[in-house]
Amino acid sequence: MRVGHLTLLHGYNYGGMLQAWATQEILRSHGHEVITLDYHPARRMQLLRRACLNFRPLFQPLASFSDKLNFSGVDQFNAFRARHFTFSKTCSDIRTLERACRDFDAVVVGSDQVWSPDWIRAPYFVDFDLPSSCRRVSLAACCGRPCEDPEYRAFVARTLSRFNQISVRNEFTADLVRQTTGKEPAIVCDPTLATEVPAHPVPGISGPYILAYIINRKHSIPLATEALLKLKRQIGLPVYSIPPAELKGQCGLPADRILGPITPFQWNHLIANASWLVTDSFHGTIFALKNHRNFTAISSGFKTAGRLGAILSATGLTDQMVTTIPEGDLSSIVPETWLASDSHLFGESRGYHEFLAESLATASSNEQNQQSRGI
């Protein structure tokens, strides 16, 4: 069956890119043809696309030039997207999204913070018309943080009520769905936990190291700095830092070496081979869990603490998240065992695949019936 995949894909974030890749690969492993909807939510890109009349050969080089003024690693991310995804025609608004989806059997939304109250985008709630036979399905969608805003919750209630199947990434997003729609969503893991992600070595990187990956520069820098300096004294390893793309190589942390630009698969390799990871990133934490890396999760405020707290609570590793640096030996705060974590993550991975198979089974059956009738 043909599946349209709508997710956060056009940013320069390693975790965001890998969750999109993982969702696509899992859908393909279930035998579906996957088309990624080429929708870019950034206002400046929407305006640029319209100015270029959605003509991709003109829009793409202009968009790349614009992004290079603001981000590092643009070439690596663009090459990754071009190599690993099959895109629809460019979609700049609801009308073009409806046109792109007219031949799909299902539109799948997720994973990541597609339902964030901080930037509501109607397309990620599939708030547009689809053919009557096309299913609306969410895969590990997340609202980012709990939100009681009545206008947001009314919008969620109206749009999610139209979904055929809903799965979410954590309990607080499930609560939002229950309270606004009355539906009981499935809770599944992030897709990067439900499939294997390649790890590509970074030339010139060898030997043990402490790795820093800090996204929230406003709130996390002081605590991360304290943690890195303490770990360096205690375990005697160099600190390597991966700065977010918007800093264009400027770090602000006590790093011996700044890494980048790198590809998403190289990012995975750096985490998988780190002796210790210091991060405030949800996906940074996810990949530490996958690879059994010692890590310190920096709580940078309520917007990220909810997501980090949810996965660490579920895996029994809440002690790995800090709001202050303890006076004692930070390097002694390591997971006592990975068995409980592995057991939980295995169960959620299996649940992800089971939900996907069930949620798209009806659409697949409808397609087969139409073919048998010559429709």
Side-chain angles (χ1 to χ4, degrees):
M1 59 183 295
R2 283 171 56 84
V3 176
H5 179 210
L6 185 56
T7 190
L8 305 175
L9 184 67
H10 282 291
Y12 296 97
N13 178 280
Y14 300 105
M17 185 65 70
L18 289 178
Q19 65 80 20
W21 176 88
T23 302
Q24 171 191 259
E25 293 306 300
I26 295 170
L27 284 164
R28 287 176 174 173
S29 74
H30 282 252
H32 305 303
E33 178 188 359
V34 185
I35 307 297
T36 299
L37 288 160
D38 190 13
Y39 170 71
H40 198 319
R43 178 65 175 168
R44 63 188 178 89
M45 288 303 167
Q46 294 286 340
L47 294 173
L48 183 58
R49 275 186 167 169
R50 291 171 186 172
C52 295
L53 301 177
N54 265 353
F55 184 56
R56 185 175 288 169
L58 177 60
F59 166 77
Q60 284 187 330
L62 290 176
S64 180
F65 174 77
S66 174
D67 280 343
K68 285 180 180 180
L69 297 177
N70 298 283
F71 306 101
S72 61
V74 171
D75 290 340
Q76 285 77 7
F77 276 90
N78 287 347
F80 187 92
R81 276 186 282 260
R83 181 175 181 179
H84 294 288
F85 294 89
T86 300
F87 284 104
S88 70
K89 291 184 178 180
T90 54
C91 301
S92 60
D93 52 26
I94 294 299
R95 180 176 57 83
T96 51
L97 278 166
E98 289 175 343
R99 188 180 304 129
C101 294
R102 61 189 175 191
D103 295 324
F104 291 149
D105 302 294
V107 171
V108 167
V109 176
S111 171
D112 225 348
Q113 301 171 65
V114 287
W115 296 340
S116 171
D118 296 320
W119 49 276
I120 300 174
R121 296 289 191 277
Y124 295 119
F125 292 83
V126 199
D127 191 23
F128 53 88
D129 291 335
L130 293 176
S132 59
S133 61
C134 185
R135 297 173 67 80
R136 290 173 167 85
V137 178
S138 74
L139 279 177
C142 178
C143 63
R145 60 179 176 85
C147 180
E148 299 298 327
D149 178 72
E151 186 175 349
Y152 167 73
R153 293 171 74 87
F155 177 79
V156 170
R158 177 179 64 81
T159 53
L160 296 193
S161 294
R162 303 173 69 188
F163 273 63
N164 300 93
Q165 298 283 345
I166 298 176
S167 67
V168 298
R169 201 170 65 178
N170 46 50
E171 186 64 37
F172 61 79
T173 305
D175 283 341
L176 173 70
V177 176
R178 294 185 193 108
Q179 295 165 10
T180 57
T181 70
K183 295 185 176 185
E184 183 60 41
I187 300 178
V188 300
C189 62
D190 188 85
T192 58
L193 290 168
T195 191
E196 290 301 315
V197 179
H200 293 174
V202 179
I205 300 297
S206 61
Y209 54 87
I210 300 166
L211 184 65
Y213 180 57
I214 301 296
I215 295 177
N216 191 323
R217 314 305 286 192
K218 181 178 180 180
H219 296 99
S220 298
I221 287 290
L223 195 58
T225 296
E226 190 177 352
L228 291 168
L229 290 174
K230 193 163 193 175
L231 282 168
K232 185 174 181 178
R233 288 195 304 269
Q234 291 172 349
I235 61 180
L237 296 178
V239 173
Y240 297 164
S241 177
I242 306 172
E246 60 267 24
L247 292 188
K248 302 195 71 174
Q250 301 300 312
C251 182
L253 290 168
D256 297 286
R257 181 171 178 179
I258 299 173
L259 304 177
I262 55 175
T263 71
F265 289 157
Q266 288 176 325
W267 180 83
N268 179 30
H269 184 273
L270 287 166
I271 293 177
N273 288 274
S275 298
W276 205 291
L277 173 69
V278 175
T279 188
D280 64 349
S281 159
F282 172 82
H283 280 106
T285 303
I286 287 288
F287 279 84
L289 294 173
K290 279 175 67 80
N291 293 291
H292 290 186
R293 297 294 89 190
N294 291 330
F295 69 96
T296 299
I298 302 295
S299 178
S300 61
F302 74 96
K303 288 186 179 182
T304 56
R307 300 192 298 278
L308 284 175
I311 186 63
L312 294 178
S313 177
T315 53
L317 297 173
T318 53
D319 287 346
Q320 305 309 122
M321 185 164 70
V322 298
T323 55
T324 59
I325 301 302
E327 293 184 3
D329 187 354
L330 183 60
S331 64
S332 68
I333 306 177
V334 298
E336 294 182 6
T337 176
W338 291 102
L339 293 178
S341 173
D342 288 346
S343 176
H344 173 81
L345 297 179
F346 174 78
E348 283 210 332
S349 174
R350 183 174 58 189
Y352 186 104
H353 287 273
E354 290 173 350
F355 172 84
L356 178 57
E358 178 183 348
S359 63
L360 296 185
T362 302
S364 181
S365 299
N366 290 341
E367 180 186 18
Q368 292 172 0
N369 291 336
Q370 289 177 356
Q371 290 176 349
S372 67
R373 297 196 305 268
I375 297 177

